[in-house]
Amino acid sequence: MAITLDPDDGTGWVFYWAHRAARGRGITTALVVDRCNWALRTNLTHRLELGYRVNNPASQVVAQKAGFSTRSARKGKFIMDGKPVDAVLAARTGADPWPSPDLSATRPTDHRT
């Protein structure tokens, strides 16, 4: 998870990815919520933006739980494996409701097979 800041317009671009073994445990959501709250609370930015593929419902859930609301859809926004993919763009400002990171949702995975 990272936030790229654009100091000229005071916005930040949020992006995240979870390793397959970490998915579905709430770790990514808790991290995105925590870091986005921090960026807005410390006035590093006044607006955060992110995008997720239209066919990625898990990423949509992370964005929604992190307080992002859908702003628009963009055809061919990202290039993945050399091909354009459509994306949903979402945004959050300090005036939006502040979600709380639910670290209790993160649970260890039993890696024994």
Side-chain angles (χ1 to χ4, degrees):
M1 188 273 160
I3 301 172
T4 303
L5 298 174
D6 182 346
D8 292 335
D9 68 3
T11 62
W13 181 261
V14 176
F15 55 99
Y16 47 88
W17 178 86
H19 187 276
R20 184 178 359 263
R23 293 178 188 157
R25 296 171 47 200
I27 296 168
T28 304
T29 299
L31 180 62
V32 171
V33 168
D34 180 71
R35 295 292 77 200
C36 289
N37 286 353
W38 170 79
L40 292 168
R41 182 176 59 251
T42 59
N43 294 316
L44 287 177
T45 181
H46 74 278
R47 176 183 167 92
L48 294 169
E49 301 173 342
L50 62 79
Y52 56 86
R53 292 186 328 269
V54 296
N55 64 348
N56 188 342
S59 194
Q60 177 183 1
V61 169
V62 171
Q64 288 173 337
K65 287 185 176 182
F68 285 80
S69 59
T70 300
R71 308 317 301 161
S72 65
R74 298 286 170 94
K75 185 171 182 152
K77 174 69 176 163
F78 302 128
I79 302 295
M80 300 188 76
D81 297 324
K83 297 177 184 174
V85 295
D86 298 347
V88 174
L89 300 183
R92 178 181 164 199
T93 69
D96 293 328
W98 286 54
S100 174
D102 181 9
L103 297 176
S104 66
T106 62
R107 58 189 182 278
T109 298
D110 185 352
H111 291 289
R112 293 176 289 166
T113 55

